[in-house]
């Protein structure tokens, strides 16, 4: 296991579409996921997609415990999600603050589907099928975007609501998680 460098916005690898995983349960896949976990935890992130460490595969991880610093977002179960497919469950859009380990120090106000079904596979190829809402739905949409070469600033509608976290949120407790 190793903490891997996270690519930052501007690196062309972040704009590429990632490839589907074809073999599950392999040592290579487990090693990739172990590196992603270690990297995400070292940087105190809420999620990480394989392209962020320069691996062009459709693998994301996300999740965090209820955190006193972020009382509004609750907890999201730790999940490894491979080859995700997303389906909005209503037309309702919800805007909320996001950060990203590839866009360090900044936050933006991003529209996402409020109600979401997502399917995909775990590292052993077992099916995942969940219907979620709110921040859980937001995190999955954010991570899935990385697999399609999209970073959250590309979705911001009002660029006055994009900036340095320390300027947007002088009170640290209000800052969104990366
Ligand atoms: Ni991100």
């Amino acid at each position: 296991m190793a903490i891997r460098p996270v690519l930052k916005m501007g690196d062309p690898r972040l704009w590429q579409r990632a490839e589907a995983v074809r073999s599950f349960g392999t040592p290579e896949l487990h090693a990739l996921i172990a590196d992603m976990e270690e990297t995400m935890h070292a940087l105190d992130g809420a999620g990480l997609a394989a392209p962020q460490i320069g691996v062009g595969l459709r693998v994301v991880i996300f999740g965090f415990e209820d955190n006193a610093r972020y009382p509004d977002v609750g907890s999201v179960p730790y999940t490894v999600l491979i080859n995700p497919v997303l389906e909005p469950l209503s037309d309702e859009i919800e805007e909320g603050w996001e950060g990203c380990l590839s866009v360090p120090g900044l936050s933006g106000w991003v529209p996402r589907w409020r109600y979401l079904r997502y399917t995909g596979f775990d590292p052993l190829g077992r099916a995942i099928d969940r219907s979620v809402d709110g921040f859980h739905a937001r995190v999955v949409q954010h991570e899935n975007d990385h697999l399609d070469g999209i970073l959250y600033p590309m979705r911001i509608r009002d660029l006055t609501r994009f900036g340095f976290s320390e300027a947007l949120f002088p009170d640290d407790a209000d800052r969104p998680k990366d």
Side-chain angles (χ1 to χ4, degrees), residues 6 14 47-49 52 98-103 112 139 142-143 145-146 150-153 178:
V6 174
L14 290 170
L48 188 72
Q52 291 181 275
E98 295 185 17
C100 179
L101 295 174
S102 293
V103 192
R112 300 288 186 187
V139 168
H142 176 117
E143 297 311 327
D145 267 355
H146 280 295
I150 296 168
L151 298 182
Y152 80 80
D178 285 341

Side-chain angles (χ1 to χ4, degrees), residues 52-71:
Q52 291 181 275
I53 59 167
V55 176
L57 290 173
R58 302 186 81 78
V59 178
V60 305
I61 65 173
F62 54 85
F64 54 91
E65 298 294 311
D66 218 347
N67 186 321
R69 284 181 67 202
Y70 308 99

Side-chain angles (χ1 to χ4, degrees), residues 28-135:
E28 293 80 8
L29 184 59
H30 288 305
L32 168 65
I33 292 162
D35 282 359
M36 289 173 66
E37 285 175 0
E38 191 168 0
T39 302
M40 183 177 84
H41 289 136
L43 298 174
D44 194 27
L48 188 72
Q52 291 181 275
I53 59 167
V55 176
L57 290 173
R58 302 186 81 78
V59 178
V60 305
I61 65 173
F62 54 85
F64 54 91
E65 298 294 311
D66 218 347
N67 186 321
R69 284 181 67 202
Y70 308 99
D72 297 336
V73 299
S75 63
V76 174
Y78 177 72
T79 302
V80 178
L81 181 63
I82 298 170
N83 299 348
V85 175
L86 276 51
E87 173 194 355
L89 293 173
S90 89
D91 290 336
E92 193 174 338
I93 299 290
E94 188 170 68
E95 293 198 274
W97 291 104
E98 295 185 17
C100 179
L101 295 174
S102 293
V103 192
L106 288 93
S107 300
W109 184 247
V110 183
R112 300 288 186 187
W113 301 112
R114 180 169 182 186
Y115 298 101
L116 182 75
R117 178 184 178 199
Y118 66 91
T119 59
F121 300 92
D122 78 2
L124 298 176
R126 297 174 298 204
I128 293 172
D129 184 341
R130 290 182 184 155
S131 294
V132 301
D133 62 6
F135 196 72

